[in-house]
Amino acid sequence: MADEVKGFGVGARLPRKEDARFLRGRGQYVADIALPGTLEVAFVRSPVAHGRLRGIEKPEGSDGKLFTSDDLSHLSPIRIVPDVQGFKPSDHHPLARDKVRFVGDCIAAAIGKTRGDAEDLAQLVIADIEELPAIIEPLAAREETGSLVHEAWGDNVYVQRDFEGGDIDSVRDAPVVVTRDYRMNRQSTVPMEKRAVLAHWDDRRDELVVYITSQIPHIIRIGLAQALGLPVRQLHVISPDVGGGFGGKARLTPEEIVVCAIALKTRKPIRWIEDVREHLTAAVQAREHVYRVTAYADDRGIIRGIDAEVTIDGGAYALWHTGPFMETGMAARNIPGPYQIEHFRARTWTVATNKAPLGVYRGVARPGACFAIERTIDEVARAVGRDPMDVRMDNMVRPDQMPYMTVCDMKFDNGDYPESVRRVAKLVDYEGIRERQKSIEPDGRLIGVGLGSFSEQSGHGAEEWLRRRTPIIAGYETATARLNPDGTLELLVAIHSHGQGMETTLAQIAHEELGIHPDDVIIRQGDTAVSPFGMGTFASRSIVMGGGAVANACEKLRDKMGLIGAHLMQCDADAVSFRDGSVNGPGGSVTLAEIGRIAHLRQEALPDGMDPVLDITATWEPSESSGVFSYATHAAVVAVDPATGEVELLDYAVVEDCGTVVNPMIVDGQIIGGVAQGIGTALYEETPYDTNGQPLATTFVDYLLPGAIEIPDIKIGHMVTPATVTKYGMKGMGEGGAIAPPAAIANALRDAFDAAGSGRINQFNETPLTPARVRAAVVA
């Protein structure tokens, strides 16, 4: 990449400001907030996956301490009605009425002085449930009509949609036809801080104050107002420090509504802190995708067409505010990946099953789509007898073709996709691995190298969200820049950092525009009473959208400050510049502190007709709202023991291009964190269910996470192709690290067995690639 910038602005490798408190244990999370008289909540949850709720027997003396749906009958159900033809809405009651639809479905809520007291009361509740057959397998759910998750639908399909471009029938006579089935199994999001909410009524302000661990406080405020039947003005949502989100905290869930409802009813502070078992059982789950992909290629492996079926298990309910339908559309549209595929068709089904609701998780649908197309690229390469690296590059969109409109109407703006492949291959010594494979390893293990490439859309505005038919169009972001009388700066933003270092990067943008030292900048986030309205943090949008809004606000503030500085120095405003905490003119300078003092305390010194104070709110949206595209190629080198199926990652590398890099250290951290999660998807993490719908991984004994030993040192290479329609040329990249690892690792395993001449094919197509699954491939 280009030489890193010195100093404090865009491009500088600045240590994270927020780490000063986090590393000393001084962060403040929902669990750290102590209000006098707080009562704790424990939920009574369904022990069965599917059944009719015939009644609830409350223990004696539980009045005012135990709440069922009848006690909170005023609550509106969660109901998603997107502008998607054929989508079937469902009523998701915060506490179950008439029916339970997954293990962990909330039936009642108990309160006590301690969590233990609340749990003791919850255990005395008897729920009369007539158990029904559970729908578990997503492919079966497409056809099942005998047992229905939602009877009113008549089937178990949220929505069936087709996506098509070109003419797939025109290439069915291709000389090479490869069909493969792929499955990415269900997993949990597992942030370090699980869900948490504390609500209390504030009589002085006549409002319900809700502390909640959330990525989208302003949007959650709207959802809570609708569910509780309150005017929005009576809801004050505060997200303090958030210990990870990854998409799982970008949805409104029943427990959060119930806690607020009890706080309103009792007029006491009510808190619920999710434990690990609750999280693994009932929180947002992700990734359950099933694909059948047919590739039509020529005898060199150039793919002319892709015909796909995509089935995504949405679970029992559609979570507010988008539901699961968007996941399927994103999966289908991203199957062509960064390749020149002219003809495409995808038939898609989003199905309901008796499992916890599906939500978004880092990368959303793209890890599944990447897994499907990247495994297919490798299978096509082997079908024509060529190295997968060469076939991958030959199929890619070239830089001279940019901007390039894909067969799924996604506009790649710029970049050099094949170069990312060449560079990452050098980082892992691809040719050296090929030489190594010619000899038998002393320990009998097999060595393989695999690649995975993707493009990642970010910074998309109204056009793209309208295309996705989401109920809320997240096409802009907002920020307020406020210079104080002492020259310090407050940035009030609606995006929310949950680990991305936004307090640092936004301060760097302020420095870029105003020359102010980042230590003199405070970021105020997560409080709907403080920050202007905005959409929040998701979809790799924070630095592009939120950073763009901060830049706009600072630019407008700079214009006014420049006029004040020029007036004081008696020069033209065009002649001033901002650096080192001052406004500088041809013959002198004025500090930002002096400008702040005059604007607030000595208005007589302002230019004639200028209003006092320095406080600007601005929005930002891209001039082209279809989005900009980061991209990357990942390379994995594995050693696999064919006798045990154990896999070791020997090497891992990433070459990425996210446009202009605001802070290289933070970008590297985001890549490494994402790769770690992607390795979890590839090798360890899974939430299986038995045939009765019972989840089989509800503790960390059963739900495996990669640790430091399982994550190799990640080699990172950067390319920089600035975007032309964003501030500074930035592109989002927060989700990218998690997208390609399953594909790269599966391809490396396939390569290991192929290089050993085992003849194993079509065996490494289901995640996670546990030792049992690898062993099964060996003995098949």
Side-chain angles (χ1 to χ4, degrees):
M1 63 181 297
D3 291 339
E4 291 171 5
V5 174
K6 304 297 182 182
F8 306 106
V10 171
R13 185 177 284 270
L14 198 66
R16 298 192 345 160
K17 288 161 56 76
E18 46 268 73
D19 286 348
R21 68 179 186 277
F22 290 145
L23 295 177
R24 292 174 172 83
R26 295 173 183 168
Q28 186 184 59
Y29 302 89
V30 172
D32 296 318
I33 298 168
L35 299 178
T38 295
L39 299 176
E40 305 286 347
V41 172
F43 284 95
V44 180
R45 298 181 180 275
S46 173
V48 302
H50 196 196
R52 301 198 187 283
L53 183 58
R54 297 202 174 278
I56 300 172
E57 183 179 331
K58 296 181 178 182
E60 187 175 345
S62 63
D63 290 347
K65 301 177 184 178
L66 185 68
F67 302 87
T68 67
S69 185
D70 289 342
D71 299 307
L72 303 176
S73 58
H74 65 287
L75 294 179
S76 297
I78 301 171
R79 186 177 177 85
I80 310 300
V81 188
D83 182 24
V84 176
Q85 185 176 2
F87 181 84
K88 303 183 186 76
S90 61
D91 287 344
H92 185 184
H93 294 282
L95 293 175
R97 294 182 184 178
D98 303 325
K99 198 176 184 185
V100 292
R101 293 183 169 88
F102 68 97
V103 172
D105 208 351
C106 293
I107 293 174
I111 59 174
K113 291 183 179 180
T114 68
R115 174 65 176 254
D117 291 339
E119 289 180 350
D120 288 345
L121 178 58
Q123 288 178 356
L124 298 176
V125 175
I126 299 175
D128 180 9
I129 302 173
E130 176 193 351
E131 192 166 359
L132 299 170
I135 308 300
I136 300 303
E137 168 56 43
L139 291 179
R142 281 172 29 181
E143 311 300 331
E144 175 64 49
T145 58
S147 183
L148 302 177
V149 179
H150 300 280
E151 280 87 349
W153 293 4
D155 60 19
N156 288 303
V157 179
Y158 282 103
V159 66
Q160 194 281 316
R161 299 177 69 191
D162 293 340
F163 297 81
E164 197 162 354
D167 180 6
I168 193 66
D169 291 330
S170 69
V171 294
R172 295 196 189 278
D173 59 352
V176 176
V177 180
V178 173
T179 299
R180 295 288 186 268
D181 292 318
Y182 306 102
R183 181 181 286 260
M184 186 164 278
N185 283 308
R186 181 171 284 242
Q187 64 183 96
S188 294
T189 62
V190 202
M192 290 186 70
E193 180 201 26
K194 310 304 182 283
R195 289 181 292 170
V197 58
L198 166 63
H200 73 96
W201 182 260
D202 186 329
D203 281 307
R204 184 175 69 86
R205 293 184 173 179
D206 190 37
E207 66 184 15
L208 183 69
V209 181
V210 182
Y211 295 92
I212 185 171
T213 179
S214 175
Q215 302 167 220
I216 53 170
H218 282 282
I219 303 302
I220 289 294
R221 185 187 187 205
I222 293 171
L224 284 173
Q226 293 174 359
L228 298 169
L230 288 179
V232 174
R233 73 159 187 85
Q234 284 189 305
L235 269 165
H236 178 188
V237 173
I238 303 169
S239 290
D241 288 327
V242 173
F246 315 119
K249 295 178 182 176
R251 293 293 180 268
L252 179 63
T253 58
E255 294 91 341
E256 296 157 349
I257 297 170
V258 171
V259 168
C260 293
I262 295 174
L264 284 170
K265 194 175 186 71
T266 63
R267 287 299 198 263
K268 295 179 180 179
I270 305 295
R271 185 174 70 169
W272 172 65
I273 307 296
E274 182 181 53
D275 64 28
V276 170
R277 186 179 293 274
E278 287 180 298
H279 178 81
L280 293 176
T281 302
V284 169
Q285 296 178 352
R287 299 278 197 258
E288 191 162 10
H289 293 202
V290 182
Y291 297 81
R292 169 161 286 184
V293 176
T294 299
Y296 300 94
D298 65 19
D299 55 13
R300 296 187 65 254
I302 305 302
I303 298 176
R304 299 306 183 195
I306 292 284
D307 200 354
E309 290 187 0
V310 184
T311 305
I312 290 181
D313 187 339
Y317 299 105
L319 289 174
W320 196 86
H321 57 97
T322 64
F325 74 92
M326 189 174 68
E327 178 120 350
T328 319
M330 287 182 66
R333 292 178 65 211
N334 278 280
I335 287 175
Y339 302 109
Q340 305 177 57
I341 294 172
E342 300 174 11
H343 307 284
F344 177 75
R345 183 183 74 168
R347 301 201 69 210
T348 75
W349 293 261
T350 307
V351 299
T353 61
N354 294 115
K355 301 175 187 172
L358 192 80
V360 293
Y361 177 46
R362 196 172 193 171
V364 197
R366 285 161 293 187
C370 178
F371 187 72
I373 188 61
E374 292 300 297
R375 284 291 297 114
T376 300
I377 286 282
D378 272 39
E379 293 303 312
V380 167
R382 287 185 164 85
V384 299
R386 298 183 65 204
D387 191 290
M389 184 175 77
D390 297 329
V391 172
R392 184 168 274 99
M393 289 191 294
D394 286 351
N395 275 284
M396 279 179 162
V397 177
R398 301 186 309 274
D400 61 87
Q401 294 175 292
M402 299 289 189
Y404 181 88
M405 187 66 73
T406 75
V407 70
C408 292
D409 292 329
M410 302 175 81
K411 185 179 179 181
F412 295 158
D413 50 330
N414 56 25
D416 190 339
Y417 298 173
E419 180 63 16
S420 72
V421 178
R422 285 187 283 267
R423 292 194 188 187
V424 84
K426 290 180 180 178
L427 286 180
V428 296
D429 189 16
Y430 194 92
E431 295 304 322
I433 297 296
R434 288 284 178 250
E435 285 299 313
R436 181 176 176 180
Q437 288 173 328
K438 295 177 182 178
S439 303
I440 297 175
E441 294 292 311
D443 60 6
R445 295 191 299 176
L446 308 180
I447 305 298
V449 59
L451 302 172
S453 302
F454 66 90
S455 56
E456 178 188 5
Q457 187 181 27
S458 69
H460 31 289
E463 177 184 331
E464 176 62 17
W465 292 107
L466 283 166
R467 183 187 297 275
R468 297 183 188 183
R469 302 183 182 276
T470 56
I472 293 174
I473 305 301
Y476 67 93
E477 201 46 72
T478 316
T480 296
R482 177 183 296 156
L483 192 77
N484 292 316
D486 65 351
T488 58
L489 182 71
E490 296 180 50
L491 295 175
L492 286 57
V493 296
I495 59 170
H496 196 302
S497 181
H498 48 275
Q500 304 94 321
M502 301 302 297
E503 294 177 39
T504 303
T505 49
L506 295 181
Q508 289 180 253
I509 288 173
H511 173 84
E512 190 75 18
E513 297 299 330
L514 301 174
I516 189 170
H517 195 287
D519 288 348
D520 290 329
V521 181
I522 184 70
I523 311 298
R524 303 200 183 278
Q525 57 182 329
D527 190 331
T528 60
V530 173
S531 68
F533 182 87
M535 300 299 171
T537 296
F538 53 93
S540 297
R541 72 189 301 274
S542 293
I543 196 62
V544 178
M545 306 295 285
V550 164
N552 259 5
C554 287
E555 287 173 6
K556 296 177 186 297
L557 191 68
R558 186 185 64 208
D559 290 344
K560 186 172 182 179
M561 292 164 62
L563 290 172
I564 297 171
H567 177 70
L568 295 175
M569 292 183 287
Q570 297 297 296
C571 67
D572 291 336
D574 293 342
V576 305
S577 62
F578 287 71
R579 65 178 181 275
D580 301 327
S582 298
V583 179
N584 304 279
S589 64
V590 181
T591 65
L592 299 187
E594 178 65 6
I595 288 177
R597 185 186 72 85
I598 288 171
H600 292 87
L601 306 177
R602 296 302 300 265
Q603 69 186 82
E604 85 283 356
L606 292 171
D608 290 343
M610 178 177 285
D611 293 331
V613 307
L614 290 164
D615 192 315
I616 299 291
T617 297
T619 61
W620 187 84
E621 55 186 310
S623 57
E624 290 188 20
S625 61
S626 59
V628 294
F629 284 82
S630 299
Y631 60 93
T633 299
H634 292 210
V637 180
V638 303
V640 55
D641 186 335
T644 65
E646 288 195 39
V647 178
E648 179 185 358
L649 283 170
L650 301 180
D651 200 0
Y652 201 99
V654 178
V655 170
E656 68 83 40
D657 185 345
C658 64
T660 300
V661 177
V662 176
N663 186 316
M665 182 173 66
I666 287 177
V667 166
D668 286 355
Q670 286 286 289
I671 293 169
I672 293 167
V675 169
Q677 289 177 299
I679 290 171
T681 300
L683 296 175
Y684 302 103
E685 297 183 52
E686 183 175 8
T687 303
Y689 287 76
D690 70 13
T691 56
N692 294 317
Q694 291 292 328
L696 302 178
T698 60
T699 73
F700 286 148
V701 173
D702 307 299
Y703 189 93
L704 301 183
L705 292 164
I709 295 174
E710 290 78 30
I711 307 298
D713 290 336
I714 310 298
K715 299 173 181 175
I716 300 174
H718 296 280
M719 299 167 60
V720 178
T721 312
T724 60
V725 297
T726 67
K727 293 289 186 180
Y728 317 118
M730 302 182 297
K731 299 182 180 184
M733 53 70 58
E735 296 178 280
I739 292 173
I745 292 169
N747 281 337
L749 282 168
R750 173 71 168 87
D751 181 71
F753 284 96
D754 186 73
S758 67
R760 312 295 181 190
I761 63 169
N762 198 23
Q763 297 292 335
F764 302 103
N765 297 341
E766 181 175 1
T767 67
L769 290 154
T770 60
R773 287 196 176 107
V774 175
R775 176 64 182 156
V778 174
V779 300

Short mmCIF file of all heavy atoms in Angstrom, two decimals, residues 255-289:
data_model
loop_
_atom_site.label_atom_id
_atom_site.label_comp_id
_atom_site.label_asym_id
_atom_site.label_seq_id
_atom_site.Cartn_x
_atom_site.Cartn_y
_atom_site.Cartn_z
N GLU A 255 -37.31 -10.24 24.45
CA GLU A 255 -36.89 -10.00 25.82
C GLU A 255 -36.75 -8.51 26.11
O GLU A 255 -37.09 -8.04 27.21
CB GLU A 255 -35.57 -10.72 26.10
CG GLU A 255 -35.66 -12.23 26.07
CD GLU A 255 -35.39 -12.84 24.70
OE1 GLU A 255 -35.49 -12.09 23.70
OE2 GLU A 255 -35.08 -14.04 24.62
N GLU A 256 -36.24 -7.76 25.14
CA GLU A 256 -36.05 -6.33 25.33
C GLU A 256 -37.38 -5.61 25.47
O GLU A 256 -37.53 -4.70 26.30
CB GLU A 256 -35.24 -5.79 24.15
CG GLU A 256 -33.83 -6.38 24.10
CD GLU A 256 -33.17 -6.35 22.73
OE1 GLU A 256 -33.88 -6.05 21.74
OE2 GLU A 256 -31.96 -6.62 22.64
N ILE A 257 -38.36 -6.03 24.69
CA ILE A 257 -39.69 -5.43 24.80
C ILE A 257 -40.31 -5.75 26.16
O ILE A 257 -40.88 -4.87 26.82
CB ILE A 257 -40.60 -5.95 23.66
CG1 ILE A 257 -40.05 -5.52 22.30
CG2 ILE A 257 -42.02 -5.47 23.84
CD1 ILE A 257 -40.73 -6.18 21.13
N VAL A 258 -40.20 -6.98 26.60
CA VAL A 258 -40.82 -7.41 27.86
C VAL A 258 -40.22 -6.66 29.04
O VAL A 258 -40.94 -6.22 29.95
CB VAL A 258 -40.68 -8.93 28.03
CG1 VAL A 258 -41.11 -9.36 29.43
CG2 VAL A 258 -41.51 -9.66 26.97
N VAL A 259 -38.90 -6.51 29.07
CA VAL A 259 -38.26 -5.77 30.16
C VAL A 259 -38.80 -4.35 30.23
O VAL A 259 -39.13 -3.84 31.32
CB VAL A 259 -36.73 -5.77 29.98
CG1 VAL A 259 -36.07 -4.76 30.92
CG2 VAL A 259 -36.17 -7.16 30.24
N CYS A 260 -38.94 -3.71 29.10
CA CYS A 260 -39.48 -2.34 29.07
C CYS A 260 -40.94 -2.32 29.54
O CYS A 260 -41.35 -1.41 30.29
CB CYS A 260 -39.37 -1.76 27.67
SG CYS A 260 -37.67 -1.47 27.12
N ALA A 261 -41.71 -3.30 29.12
CA ALA A 261 -43.12 -3.35 29.51
C ALA A 261 -43.27 -3.53 31.01
O ALA A 261 -44.14 -2.91 31.65
CB ALA A 261 -43.83 -4.47 28.76
N ILE A 262 -42.43 -4.37 31.61
CA ILE A 262 -42.51 -4.58 33.06
C ILE A 262 -42.09 -3.31 33.80
O ILE A 262 -42.67 -2.94 34.84
CB ILE A 262 -41.64 -5.78 33.47
CG1 ILE A 262 -42.20 -7.07 32.86
CG2 ILE A 262 -41.58 -5.91 34.99
CD1 ILE A 262 -41.33 -8.29 33.09
N ALA A 263 -41.08 -2.61 33.29
CA ALA A 263 -40.67 -1.35 33.90
C ALA A 263 -41.79 -0.33 33.88
O ALA A 263 -42.00 0.42 34.84
CB ALA A 263 -39.42 -0.81 33.19
N LEU A 264 -42.52 -0.28 32.78
CA LEU A 264 -43.67 0.62 32.69
C LEU A 264 -44.76 0.23 33.68
O LEU A 264 -45.40 1.08 34.31
CB LEU A 264 -44.22 0.63 31.27
CG LEU A 264 -43.43 1.40 30.21
CD1 LEU A 264 -43.98 1.10 28.82
CD2 LEU A 264 -43.52 2.90 30.49
N LYS A 265 -44.97 -1.07 33.82
CA LYS A 265 -46.06 -1.55 34.66
C LYS A 265 -45.76 -1.38 36.14
O LYS A 265 -46.63 -1.02 36.94
CB LYS A 265 -46.33 -3.03 34.34
CG LYS A 265 -47.65 -3.56 34.88
CD LYS A 265 -47.87 -4.98 34.40
CE LYS A 265 -49.25 -5.50 34.81
NZ LYS A 265 -50.35 -4.86 34.07
N THR A 266 -44.52 -1.63 36.52
CA THR A 266 -44.16 -1.60 37.94
C THR A 266 -43.61 -0.25 38.38
O THR A 266 -43.54 0.03 39.58
CB THR A 266 -43.10 -2.67 38.24
OG1 THR A 266 -41.91 -2.37 37.49
CG2 THR A 266 -43.61 -4.06 37.88
N ARG A 267 -43.17 0.57 37.41
CA ARG A 267 -42.49 1.83 37.68
C ARG A 267 -41.22 1.62 38.53
O ARG A 267 -40.85 2.45 39.35
CB ARG A 267 -43.42 2.84 38.38
CG ARG A 267 -44.49 3.44 37.47
CD ARG A 267 -43.85 4.22 36.31
NE ARG A 267 -44.77 5.14 35.66
CZ ARG A 267 -45.45 4.87 34.54
NH1 ARG A 267 -45.34 3.67 33.99
NH2 ARG A 267 -46.23 5.77 33.99
N LYS A 268 -40.57 0.48 38.31
CA LYS A 268 -39.32 0.17 38.98
C LYS A 268 -38.26 -0.15 37.92
O LYS A 268 -38.58 -0.58 36.81
CB LYS A 268 -39.49 -1.04 39.91
CG LYS A 268 -40.43 -0.78 41.08
CD LYS A 268 -40.58 -2.02 41.94
CE LYS A 268 -41.54 -1.75 43.11
NZ LYS A 268 -41.73 -2.97 43.95
N PRO A 269 -36.98 0.06 38.26
CA PRO A 269 -35.93 -0.32 37.31
C PRO A 269 -35.91 -1.84 37.14
O PRO A 269 -35.86 -2.59 38.12
CB PRO A 269 -34.64 0.18 37.98
CG PRO A 269 -35.07 1.17 39.00
CD PRO A 269 -36.43 0.72 39.46
N ILE A 270 -35.93 -2.29 35.90
CA ILE A 270 -35.97 -3.71 35.57
C ILE A 270 -34.80 -4.03 34.65
O ILE A 270 -34.57 -3.34 33.66
CB ILE A 270 -37.29 -4.10 34.88
CG1 ILE A 270 -38.50 -3.68 35.75
CG2 ILE A 270 -37.33 -5.59 34.59
CD1 ILE A 270 -38.60 -4.41 37.08
N ARG A 271 -34.07 -5.11 34.98
CA ARG A 271 -32.89 -5.43 34.19
C ARG A 271 -32.86 -6.92 33.83
O ARG A 271 -33.26 -7.76 34.64
CB ARG A 271 -31.61 -5.09 34.97
CG ARG A 271 -30.33 -5.29 34.18
CD ARG A 271 -29.11 -4.79 34.92
NE ARG A 271 -28.78 -5.61 36.07
CZ ARG A 271 -27.65 -5.51 36.77
NH1 ARG A 271 -26.77 -4.58 36.43
NH2 ARG A 271 -27.42 -6.29 37.79
N TRP A 272 -32.38 -7.19 32.62
CA TRP A 272 -32.14 -8.57 32.19
C TRP A 272 -30.77 -8.64 31.54
O TRP A 272 -30.47 -7.86 30.63
CB TRP A 272 -33.21 -9.03 31.19
CG TRP A 272 -32.91 -10.37 30.57
CD1 TRP A 272 -32.85 -11.57 31.20
CD2 TRP A 272 -32.62 -10.62 29.19
NE1 TRP A 272 -32.55 -12.57 30.30
CE2 TRP A 272 -32.40 -12.02 29.07
CE3 TRP A 272 -32.52 -9.82 28.06
CZ2 TRP A 272 -32.10 -12.61 27.84
CZ3 TRP A 272 -32.21 -10.40 26.84
CH2 TRP A 272 -32.02 -11.78 26.74
N ILE A 273 -29.94 -9.56 32.03
CA ILE A 273 -28.63 -9.80 31.46
C ILE A 273 -28.64 -11.24 30.94
O ILE A 273 -28.79 -12.18 31.73
CB ILE A 273 -27.50 -9.62 32.49
CG1 ILE A 273 -27.59 -8.24 33.17
CG2 ILE A 273 -26.14 -9.82 31.83
CD1 ILE A 273 -27.39 -7.07 32.24
N GLU A 274 -28.49 -11.41 29.66
CA GLU A 274 -28.54 -12.73 29.05
C GLU A 274 -27.35 -13.58 29.48
O GLU A 274 -26.21 -13.10 29.49
CB GLU A 274 -28.54 -12.57 27.52
CG GLU A 274 -28.63 -13.87 26.75
CD GLU A 274 -28.59 -13.64 25.25
OE1 GLU A 274 -27.65 -12.97 24.77
OE2 GLU A 274 -29.50 -14.13 24.57
N ASP A 275 -27.62 -14.84 29.84
CA ASP A 275 -26.51 -15.75 30.13
C ASP A 275 -26.17 -16.56 28.88
O ASP A 275 -26.85 -16.48 27.85
CB ASP A 275 -26.80 -16.64 31.34
CG ASP A 275 -27.97 -17.60 31.15
OD1 ASP A 275 -28.26 -17.99 30.00
OD2 ASP A 275 -28.61 -17.96 32.15
N VAL A 276 -25.10 -17.34 28.97
CA VAL A 276 -24.59 -18.05 27.80
C VAL A 276 -25.61 -19.07 27.29
O VAL A 276 -25.81 -19.20 26.07
CB VAL A 276 -23.25 -18.74 28.14
CG1 VAL A 276 -22.83 -19.68 27.02
CG2 VAL A 276 -22.17 -17.70 28.37
N ARG A 277 -26.26 -19.79 28.19
CA ARG A 277 -27.23 -20.79 27.74
C ARG A 277 -28.38 -20.11 27.00
O ARG A 277 -28.83 -20.61 25.95
CB ARG A 277 -27.77 -21.60 28.92
CG ARG A 277 -28.67 -22.76 28.48
CD ARG A 277 -29.17 -23.54 29.67
NE ARG A 277 -28.10 -24.25 30.35
CZ ARG A 277 -27.67 -25.47 29.99
NH1 ARG A 277 -28.22 -26.09 28.95
NH2 ARG A 277 -26.71 -26.05 30.66
N GLU A 278 -28.87 -19.00 27.52
CA GLU A 278 -29.94 -18.27 26.81
C GLU A 278 -29.46 -17.82 25.44
O GLU A 278 -30.19 -17.90 24.44
CB GLU A 278 -30.36 -17.06 27.63
CG GLU A 278 -31.19 -17.37 28.86
CD GLU A 278 -31.57 -16.12 29.60
OE1 GLU A 278 -30.66 -15.39 30.06
OE2 GLU A 278 -32.78 -15.85 29.74
N HIS A 279 -28.23 -17.33 25.39
CA HIS A 279 -27.72 -16.83 24.11
C HIS A 279 -27.64 -17.94 23.08
O HIS A 279 -28.09 -17.79 21.94
CB HIS A 279 -26.34 -16.20 24.30
CG HIS A 279 -25.75 -15.71 23.02
ND1 HIS A 279 -26.10 -14.49 22.47
CD2 HIS A 279 -24.86 -16.27 22.16
CE1 HIS A 279 -25.45 -14.34 21.32
NE2 HIS A 279 -24.69 -15.40 21.11
N LEU A 280 -27.06 -19.06 23.47
CA LEU A 280 -26.88 -20.15 22.51
C LEU A 280 -28.20 -20.83 22.16
O LEU A 280 -28.29 -21.49 21.12
CB LEU A 280 -25.90 -21.18 23.09
CG LEU A 280 -24.45 -20.70 23.26
CD1 LEU A 280 -23.61 -21.77 23.92
CD2 LEU A 280 -23.84 -20.29 21.93
N THR A 281 -29.21 -20.65 22.98
CA THR A 281 -30.51 -21.28 22.73
C THR A 281 -31.46 -20.36 21.97
O THR A 281 -32.12 -20.80 21.02
CB THR A 281 -31.17 -21.69 24.06
OG1 THR A 281 -30.31 -22.58 24.76
CG2 THR A 281 -32.51 -22.37 23.82
N ALA A 282 -31.55 -19.09 22.39
CA ALA A 282 -32.68 -18.26 21.96
C ALA A 282 -32.30 -16.95 21.30
O ALA A 282 -33.19 -16.27 20.76
CB ALA A 282 -33.57 -17.97 23.17
N ALA A 283 -31.04 -16.55 21.32
CA ALA A 283 -30.65 -15.30 20.68
C ALA A 283 -30.59 -15.48 19.16
O ALA A 283 -30.75 -16.59 18.63
CB ALA A 283 -29.31 -14.82 21.22
N VAL A 284 -30.32 -14.38 18.48
CA VAL A 284 -30.18 -14.41 17.02
C VAL A 284 -29.17 -15.48 16.61
O VAL A 284 -28.07 -15.55 17.14
CB VAL A 284 -29.71 -13.03 16.52
CG1 VAL A 284 -29.29 -13.11 15.06
CG2 VAL A 284 -30.81 -11.99 16.70
N GLN A 285 -29.57 -16.33 15.69
CA GLN A 285 -28.66 -17.30 15.09
C GLN A 285 -28.46 -16.97 13.61
O GLN A 285 -29.12 -16.08 13.08
CB GLN A 285 -29.19 -18.73 15.30
CG GLN A 285 -29.23 -19.10 16.79
CD GLN A 285 -29.79 -20.47 17.06
OE1 GLN A 285 -30.31 -21.16 16.18
NE2 GLN A 285 -29.71 -20.90 18.32
N ALA A 286 -27.54 -17.67 12.98
CA ALA A 286 -27.11 -17.21 11.65
C ALA A 286 -26.57 -18.34 10.81
O ALA A 286 -26.35 -19.45 11.27
CB ALA A 286 -26.03 -16.13 11.83
N ARG A 287 -26.40 -18.02 9.52
CA ARG A 287 -25.58 -18.79 8.58
C ARG A 287 -26.21 -20.04 7.99
O ARG A 287 -25.57 -20.68 7.15
CB ARG A 287 -24.25 -19.20 9.23
CG ARG A 287 -23.34 -18.06 9.68
CD ARG A 287 -22.54 -17.51 8.53
NE ARG A 287 -21.41 -16.71 8.98
CZ ARG A 287 -21.36 -15.38 8.99
NH1 ARG A 287 -22.42 -14.68 8.59
NH2 ARG A 287 -20.29 -14.74 9.38
N GLU A 288 -27.43 -20.44 8.36
CA GLU A 288 -27.92 -21.74 7.87
C GLU A 288 -28.39 -21.62 6.43
O GLU A 288 -29.53 -21.26 6.15
CB GLU A 288 -29.03 -22.29 8.77
CG GLU A 288 -29.35 -23.73 8.44
CD GLU A 288 -30.11 -24.45 9.53
OE1 GLU A 288 -30.55 -23.80 10.49
OE2 GLU A 288 -30.26 -25.68 9.41
N HIS A 289 -27.49 -21.95 5.51
CA HIS A 289 -27.72 -21.85 4.07
C HIS A 289 -27.51 -23.21 3.42
O HIS A 289 -26.58 -23.94 3.76
CB HIS A 289 -26.73 -20.88 3.42
CG HIS A 289 -26.89 -19.46 3.82
ND1 HIS A 289 -26.41 -18.43 3.03
CD2 HIS A 289 -27.45 -18.86 4.89
CE1 HIS A 289 -26.67 -17.27 3.62
NE2 HIS A 289 -27.30 -17.51 4.76
#
